[in-house]
Amino acid sequence: MQKSHHYTGLTDAEVIESRKQYGANILTPPPKEPWWKEFLEKFTDPIIVILLIALTLSIGVSCYEYFSGHGGVSTFFEPIGILIAILLATVVGFLFEQSANRKFEVLNKVNDDTLVKVIRNGNVCQIQKKDIVVGDIAILETGEEIPADGELLEAVSLQINESTLTGEPVAKKTTNPANFDKEATYPSNHAMKGTTVMEGHGIMQVLKVGDASEYGKVYEGAQIDSSVETPLNQQLDRLADLITRVSYAIAILIVVGRMIWYFVGLESGFNWILFGGFLLKTVMIAVTVIVVAVPEGLPMSVTLSLALSMKRMLSTNNLVRKMHACETMGAATVICTDKTGTLTQNRMKIYDTKFYGSEGLTDIIKEGIAVNSTAYLDFSDKSKVKALGNPTEGALLLWLYDNNINYLPLREDAEIIEQLTFSTERKYMATIVKSPLLGKKVLYVKGAPEIVFSLCKTADVSSEELDRQLLEYQSKAMRTLGFAYQILEDDKHYIKEGALFNTDLTFVGIVAISDPVREEVPEAVKSCLDAGIGVKIVTGDTSGTAKEIGRQIGLWGENDNEAHHMTGMEFAAMDDKSLIQRISELKILSRARPMDKQRLVQLLQQNDQVVAVTGDGTNDAPALNVAQVGLSMGDGTSVAKEASDITIIDNSFSSISRAVMWGRSLYQNIQRFILFQMTINVAACIIVLIGAFLGTESPLTVTQMLWVNLIMDTFAALALASLPPSEKVMKDKPRKTTDFIINKSMWKSILGVGFFFVLLLFGLVQYFKHADITSLKDFSPTDFGKNFFNFGAGNELSPYELSLFFTIFVMLQFWNMFNAKAFMTGKSSFAFINQCRGFLFIAIVILVGQWLIVSVGGEMFNVVPLRLSDWAIIIGTTSIVLWVGEIGRFLNSRGKY
């Protein structure tokens, strides 16, 4: 029996001094950025930066043309269009993230006003939790939250729920060094802030408070801005650099080339006024190239793609809080997952029972389980009855419930005479009751099977057989309990000085209890491994349990050894350089502390890995925050959810593999849009470049280009983003962070199709200049070829010819959108067309929009209505872009077989 002591605690003067030296027991809240600052951060996107530069240049040119009298108000349409593109891309993303953040505003609420009992000035008194200081003597009782970190001075049957820090629900505490658990995450004689007393009571001396506590470190780690750049941002950065360099190079080429052209062709004397006019026009052409080269629709398309995926992923139980996480999940190369609640059901369950010498559920077994327990069942939701209290004891009551036995009448009808609660030292619990079932007093005992068996004088199983059975269960990382009873015929004392005394117990049997693996997890883990994604289990549980769970989900096999496993103590003892060489092979990190998980994530990132982290406890928050993608569980703690990017509503690992599929499919959709848009930009840039040296004006007006680059591109982005995810992407390996977003096959398509468009469109301009076309029925292929190289002066294009040119230009892009849809699928554009109704609807909207603009756009778009016969000819002839693509895809598919 543990000896009691007299404690005087701190004096008032000592409390003031301690608070001055060590601080108050308050967690420092993180500074919150104002909404306007969060909005301005959207303008740091690399493509947005290019657009802002283009906007500045465009405003300058428009102001010059307007104030010099060379143009009207319409000259400002271009900068207005670019401004709209910028605002749409930034505002949509900002509003979506603000909406998601509002759902999380209730999180991270810390209650510092709860009253706790302490000893001060020799008296027991109550103070607010925030007023506790280092050196205080705190009294711990069942159901209370530990107010600070401290060392236990007394511990009576003390069990603490440490799941907020380690992920594991039960930690047995003691002050007896002989009973210390050497593998425990935190010392057996320490209690940590934020954990909860489940059973027993104790007295603790406070060692650390507030931010200095282990919980405080976790909380602080969850708030640190990791500033990890996402793979998509890195790739868009490189794309922005490329666009900037190429557009500036073409602009410089135009200026230098036209200057050389001017001086070479200078026949009469040099005239400063004429040269100034020519130079100004040259600069304006160069600026036009820069503006045309910028994909105005790209930021909006990426935002729309992310926003649409953000919404649709909710249907697969992925609540996305931060928009970038939709795509980043697809780039993940490693998933660090906790065990309890993610891989397992986080619900202790009876796996097997061995009751010797009895068949079925006897009265002894039923009553023994019901009365010799401190747990309860919550029947408020009949569809999901929950255990309250010790999860192991709760599993026993749930097992009775599954066998149609309600424990409560059994417990209420039996009068408890005396009880010994479970303690780490005894390793058993005993209860003496007046049994209404047997009509006698009965002593019921349960606890560690080997201890309970040693107390028994009668048993229908041998010690060897029992040891063999226990070893089998323990090899599967299961908890075991043994049961015994004795019918008491006299009034002797059988409990004396906190232990059983003078008993004649009969051994009843054992039960094996496990936290079962979720049914869908092994298949989901296999899906991730097949997709080239490494899976690592990081848990606060024991090595044996972690390995067994790893075996059950297909992660740990016969060929695995200790090179693939580490404990938290081993991990903490190694330096970063040694760990970096080791972590690539690591599969399981057991007995891990919260900051171990964060350190593992950061080391993996130093190895150029894209890391996704799953977790449901406060202990997971630092790692969730620092990872490229943090995935919290739907029933996880508020701190974990606050630190995460995505919340898995159904707590299932299979939802994580679906998130990977969504992310990879989304990345392909963004690539498809870039393929579509860059083809337009390449064609437009080359046409402006050719026109700069031939002295021809662009046949496309500013408003027409705005329709193509802004409105049509936005619709195209919606169409391509609406494509359903493909399970085929799970067969691919993760892309490298160093990969360029435009791959080799995309370059071939962009340049090949872009140059084809240039040749066709340039040929049309040349043909229209030297022929008077009033209907495409009069089109002559012979004259088209003859005039292609006719650089002599021709007629200005008529309004009808300009309308024909504009419509042909748009329809070429329209059919190329279907090629972009089929890109990287290896299938026809018409494959799975019934699953792409959104794509078809938007394609029809673009077609109808073009018809409306040409039919009623008038002077604003510099167009006149076209004949229906010409519409039919244009739609039919430009569709060759699609049919050539279809033939190419057919030949490629045939070549694979």
Side-chain angles (χ1 to χ4, degrees):
M1 185 134 182
Q2 186 164 305
K3 185 180 178 181
S4 295
H5 298 82
H6 177 68
Y7 304 101
T8 58
L10 299 177
T11 64
D12 292 339
E14 288 172 332
V15 168
I16 295 171
E17 182 60 32
S18 178
R19 187 174 291 120
K20 187 183 296 184
Q21 185 174 354
Y22 299 106
N25 191 32
I26 296 175
L27 300 178
T28 306
K32 187 171 178 61
E33 283 192 343
W35 66 266
W36 58 266
K37 193 171 183 181
E38 291 179 2
F39 177 64
L40 290 180
E41 286 176 359
K42 294 293 176 187
F43 290 87
T44 59
D45 181 278
I47 302 294
I48 296 292
V49 171
I50 294 181
L51 278 176
L52 289 170
I53 295 170
L55 174 64
T56 305
L57 295 172
S58 182
I59 290 174
V61 170
S62 297
C63 287
Y64 170 79
E65 290 191 342
Y66 178 76
F67 291 112
S68 64
H70 292 98
V73 177
S74 61
T75 57
F76 289 99
F77 284 164
E78 182 172 292
I80 289 172
I82 296 173
L83 180 62
I84 291 171
I86 292 170
L87 291 177
L88 280 175
T90 52
V91 171
V92 168
F94 174 73
L95 291 179
F96 262 90
E97 290 194 355
Q98 287 296 304
S99 174
N101 282 337
R102 278 194 292 271
K103 298 174 185 177
F104 287 83
E105 285 179 356
V106 296
L107 306 179
N108 264 347
K109 300 295 183 185
V110 182
N111 184 3
D112 294 318
D113 298 328
T114 306
L115 295 176
V116 294
K117 288 186 278 293
V118 297
I119 300 174
R120 286 184 180 175
N121 301 305
N123 299 312
V124 177
C125 58
Q126 284 189 316
I127 62 171
Q128 291 184 344
K129 187 194 298 182
K130 63 183 178 183
D131 291 331
I132 275 195
V133 298
V134 171
D136 260 329
I137 305 296
I139 298 172
L140 311 178
E141 295 181 346
T142 302
E144 293 182 350
E145 184 178 294
I146 309 295
D149 288 0
E151 182 179 359
L152 292 168
L153 304 176
E154 294 182 17
V156 179
S157 304
L158 188 60
Q159 295 189 51
I160 293 179
N161 181 349
E162 288 187 344
S163 59
T164 54
L165 287 175
T166 66
E168 300 310 313
V170 180
K172 296 167 184 174
K173 298 296 182 179
T174 179
T175 56
N176 185 351
N179 294 312
F180 284 2
D181 181 357
K182 294 179 181 178
E183 286 193 353
T185 309
Y186 296 107
S188 296
N189 63 334
H190 278 212
M192 316 307 290
K193 177 181 173 67
T195 60
T196 308
V197 178
M198 295 187 65
E199 288 183 19
H201 55 86
I203 296 177
M204 173 188 86
Q205 183 172 27
V206 175
L207 301 178
K208 292 181 180 179
V209 296
D211 294 336
S213 68
E214 196 72 14
Y215 189 92
K217 292 174 185 175
V218 173
Y219 185 82
E220 183 182 2
Q223 312 304 330
I224 296 171
D225 181 12
S226 59
S227 299
V228 178
E229 195 173 20
T230 67
L232 181 62
N233 280 344
Q234 292 174 349
Q235 291 171 319
L236 289 178
D237 279 348
R238 290 196 287 272
L239 178 61
D241 289 341
L242 176 69
I243 292 170
T244 303
R245 288 198 300 268
V246 171
S247 61
Y248 286 0
I250 294 175
I252 292 169
L253 178 65
I254 288 172
V255 172
V256 174
R258 280 176 61 89
M259 289 299 100
I260 294 172
W261 180 38
Y262 178 82
F263 285 108
V264 169
L266 196 64
E267 295 178 356
S268 57
F270 180 80
N271 186 306
W272 277 106
I273 296 176
L274 291 176
F275 174 74
F278 182 84
L279 179 62
L280 185 60
K281 186 175 182 180
T282 298
V283 171
M284 288 175 66
I285 293 172
V287 170
T288 302
V289 166
I290 294 172
V291 173
V292 167
V294 177
E296 289 95 337
L298 183 56
M300 186 63 183
S301 74
V302 172
T303 301
L304 282 173
S305 297
L306 292 172
L308 192 59
S309 294
M310 189 176 181
K311 184 178 179 181
R312 291 167 69 189
M313 282 174 73
L314 188 57
S315 64
T316 61
N317 295 305
N318 290 282
L319 174 60
V320 181
R321 181 188 174 202
K322 297 177 183 175
M323 206 177 283
H324 73 81
C326 299
E327 184 282 327
T328 308
M329 197 63 214
T333 58
V334 177
I335 297 175
C336 294
T337 175
D338 68 339
K339 177 186 69 69
T340 308
T342 307
L343 302 178
T344 66
Q345 297 174 17
N346 195 18
R347 188 182 183 189
M348 302 304 290
K349 192 173 182 181
I350 302 299
Y351 172 80
D352 193 19
T353 61
K354 296 286 184 184
F355 294 120
Y356 306 104
S358 60
E359 294 183 7
L361 273 168
T362 64
D363 289 343
I364 290 288
I365 297 171
K366 289 187 292 187
E367 190 175 64
I369 290 175
V371 302
N372 192 29
S373 172
T374 58
Y376 293 86
L377 293 185
D378 179 3
F379 294 104
S380 56
D381 183 359
K382 291 290 185 182
S383 63
K384 191 177 181 181
V385 178
K386 294 180 181 178
L388 304 176
N390 186 293
T392 305
E393 292 188 336
L396 292 169
L397 300 184
L398 286 169
W399 179 69
L400 285 181
Y401 179 78
D402 291 340
N403 283 278
N404 300 313
I405 298 169
N406 189 343
Y407 80 99
L408 205 51
L410 293 171
R411 184 181 293 179
E412 290 174 346
D413 292 344
E415 180 187 344
I416 296 178
I417 299 171
E418 198 169 2
Q419 190 173 69
L420 273 178
T421 58
F422 184 91
S423 75
T424 307
E425 291 78 10
R426 281 192 303 269
K427 290 186 169 56
Y428 64 81
M429 175 180 182
T431 304
I432 298 175
V433 299
K434 283 185 180 179
S435 171
L437 297 180
L438 302 177
K440 298 178 180 179
K441 288 195 299 182
V442 184
L443 167 62
Y444 291 109
V445 180
K446 80 166 185 290
E450 60 276 14
I451 301 296
V452 174
F453 186 80
S454 69
L455 296 172
C456 295
K457 294 183 179 178
T458 306
D460 289 323
V461 62
S462 67
S463 175
E464 293 76 13
E465 174 62 20
L466 181 66
D467 289 343
R468 185 197 63 77
Q469 188 64 62
L470 290 175
L471 190 62
E472 181 184 331
Y473 290 144
Q474 288 162 3
S475 68
K476 296 179 181 177
M478 294 180 185
R479 297 178 185 179
T480 53
L481 281 177
F483 298 86
Y485 78 100
Q486 178 181 343
I487 296 176
L488 307 179
E489 304 286 358
D490 51 41
D491 293 327
K492 291 181 181 179
H493 291 287
Y494 291 92
I495 296 177
K496 191 175 181 181
E497 295 183 354
L500 291 177
F501 176 75
N502 201 27
T503 57
D504 185 12
L505 293 167
T506 299
F507 191 70
V508 177
I510 57 175
V511 298
I513 305 170
S514 68
D515 182 4
V517 167
R518 291 176 179 271
E519 290 182 9
E520 72 281 358
V521 166
E523 184 60 33
V525 170
K526 183 178 183 299
S527 174
C528 289
L529 294 175
D530 290 345
I533 302 171
V535 178
K536 302 182 188 296
I537 298 175
V538 186
T539 177
D541 211 335
T542 63
S543 303
T545 301
K547 289 176 184 177
E548 174 57 23
I549 296 299
R551 185 193 64 77
Q552 291 181 30
I553 66 173
L555 185 64
W556 188 269
E558 293 179 358
N559 296 325
D560 287 303
N561 52 50
E562 286 307 305
H564 304 132
H565 165 257
M566 291 181 74
T567 65
M569 291 181 67
E570 293 170 342
F571 186 83
M574 294 179 68
D575 57 53
D576 288 356
K577 187 177 180 181
S578 302
L579 281 174
I580 285 176
Q581 297 173 350
R582 176 90 183 268
I583 55 175
S584 59
E585 295 183 346
L586 186 66
K587 290 185 178 182
I588 296 173
L589 179 61
S590 61
R591 288 301 189 191
R593 297 190 182 193
M595 305 316 286
D596 293 338
K597 197 170 186 178
Q598 181 190 38
R599 185 183 176 205
L600 174 62
V601 172
Q602 291 172 323
L603 291 173
L604 286 167
Q605 289 170 340
Q606 289 179 34
N607 263 359
D608 294 326
Q609 301 291 324
V610 178
V611 187
V613 170
T614 73
D616 61 351
T618 303
N619 58 308
D620 300 311
L624 288 168
N625 185 58
V626 81
Q628 278 97 338
V629 183
L631 302 122
S632 62
M633 299 299 111
D635 59 2
T637 66
S638 60
V639 177
K641 290 177 183 177
E642 177 67 27
S644 66
D645 305 300
I646 299 175
T647 297
I648 308 299
I649 297 173
D650 63 352
N651 303 330
S652 173
F653 195 89
S654 62
S655 294
I656 298 169
S657 64
R658 287 196 294 272
V660 173
M661 180 184 71
W662 269 101
R664 291 187 176 187
S665 298
L666 172 60
Y667 180 74
Q668 286 191 351
N669 286 345
I670 292 173
Q671 282 186 307
R672 291 181 181 116
F673 179 79
I674 290 173
L675 174 72
F676 169 79
Q677 170 125 56
M678 293 301 289
T679 303
I680 298 175
N681 286 36
V682 165
C685 275
I686 295 174
I687 287 173
V688 173
L689 181 63
I690 293 172
F693 290 99
L694 294 181
T696 58
E697 296 289 337
S698 172
L700 295 172
T701 65
V702 170
T703 49
Q704 289 172 353
M705 283 305 295
L706 282 178
W707 158 249
V708 173
N709 280 344
L710 187 58
I711 310 302
M712 182 180 168
D713 284 355
T714 300
F715 280 126
L718 275 172
L720 295 171
S722 69
L723 296 178
S726 169
E727 292 188 7
K728 183 182 174 184
V729 296
M730 294 301 285
K731 296 178 182 178
D732 301 330
K733 298 301 178 187
R735 70 179 191 268
K736 297 177 181 177
T737 54
T738 54
D739 288 349
F740 191 52
I741 198 166
I742 303 178
N743 57 34
K744 190 176 180 180
S745 58
M746 288 175 68
W747 276 123
K748 288 181 179 178
S749 179
I750 290 169
L751 296 176
V753 176
F755 276 106
F756 168 73
F757 286 176
V758 168
L759 292 174
L760 181 61
L761 294 170
F762 177 74
L764 279 174
V765 171
Q766 291 292 88
Y767 178 65
F768 289 159
K769 281 171 63 177
H770 297 92
D772 187 15
I773 299 297
T774 56
S775 172
L776 285 178
K777 290 180 180 178
D778 303 329
F779 182 81
S780 169
T782 305
D783 290 344
F784 179 85
K786 188 189 300 180
N787 289 312
F788 191 89
F789 295 104
N790 185 357
F791 300 124
N795 301 319
E796 286 190 4
L797 273 60
S798 68
Y800 196 84
E801 289 170 336
L802 287 170
S803 299
L804 286 173
F805 183 90
F806 173 48
T807 304
I808 290 169
F809 180 77
V810 169
M811 292 310 300
L812 287 172
Q813 317 306 331
F814 175 81
W815 292 116
N816 195 42
M817 184 176 71
F818 284 81
N819 285 333
K821 170 188 174 291
F823 183 69
M824 291 186 290
T825 64
K827 298 184 182 296
S828 165
S829 298
F830 303 103
F832 311 113
I833 201 73
N834 61 320
Q835 299 178 19
C836 306
R837 293 175 184 172
F839 179 89
L840 289 176
F841 173 76
I842 295 169
I844 292 170
V845 169
I846 292 174
L847 199 58
V848 171
Q850 180 64 21
W851 179 81
L852 286 173
I853 284 174
V854 173
S855 299
V856 300
E859 290 185 8
M860 182 176 179
F861 284 91
N862 196 26
V863 290
V864 294
L866 298 179
R867 297 179 176 84
L868 287 178
S869 59
D870 285 346
W871 272 107
I873 293 170
I874 291 172
I875 291 172
T877 53
T878 54
S879 69
I880 192 174
V881 174
L882 171 61
W883 302 121
V884 169
E886 286 293 298
I887 292 169
R889 284 184 286 276
F890 175 75
L891 294 175
N892 283 337
S893 65
R894 297 285 293 179
K896 292 179 180 178
Y897 295 101

